[in-house]
Amino acid sequence: MKINLRDPRTGAVDGTITAANPDDVARITERLRSAQATWAAKPIEARAQVLLAFRAAIEAETPSIAAALERDTGRRAIAHQEIRGATGSLAGWAAQAPHLMAGDWVQGRSMPHVQPRPHFVPYPVVGVISPWNFPLPLSMIATIPA
């Protein structure tokens, strides 16, 4: 199915995309689910490096991503800020991940006798519908921790 893309400033159709059909989605999600075991087996430091490589890839494509964001949202001035927010988020998660995933117990105040035992397993598939305002960094709020 073709979906028309509209310029938010003019309302004119300025492109089309082809929506994935249910079979496409099933094939893709199965491939992602089967790859999860490899990803989960990676040490957290290696996963953090993947986040940093993703950050570098976004930074390398900043002009084209900014142009796409401008077309999609109609906001020229904010497109670069959005990209910086996304790359900053990736850097922050990569830096914090080893500490967050360490699972060190901190005694709580309300129930000091309760000691949680975290079990961190990455989700095999995460579907995110990003808001129209700041689609790049807001989509990462859910996808990066998952």
Side-chain angles (χ1 to χ4, degrees), residues 28-40 121-127 143 145-146:
I28 292 166
T29 55
E30 183 54 39
R31 181 176 51 83
L32 294 171
R33 283 187 178 108
S34 64
Q36 193 271 350
T38 302
W39 178 253
V121 178
Y123 290 110
V125 177
V126 177
T143 55

Side-chain angles (χ1 to χ4, degrees), residues 82-137:
E82 183 170 346
I83 293 167
R84 284 192 300 276
T87 57
S89 176
L90 285 162
W93 280 110
Q96 289 295 318
H99 167 71
L100 294 171
M101 299 293 283
D104 294 332
W105 177 56
V106 176
Q107 184 174 359
R109 289 187 212 151
S110 63
M111 296 190 299
H113 59 285
V114 174
Q115 180 177 350
R117 288 189 171 54
H119 180 68
F120 299 110
V121 178
Y123 290 110
V125 177
V126 177
V128 175
I129 298 173
S130 179
W132 69 269
N133 59 334
F134 296 95
L136 188 59

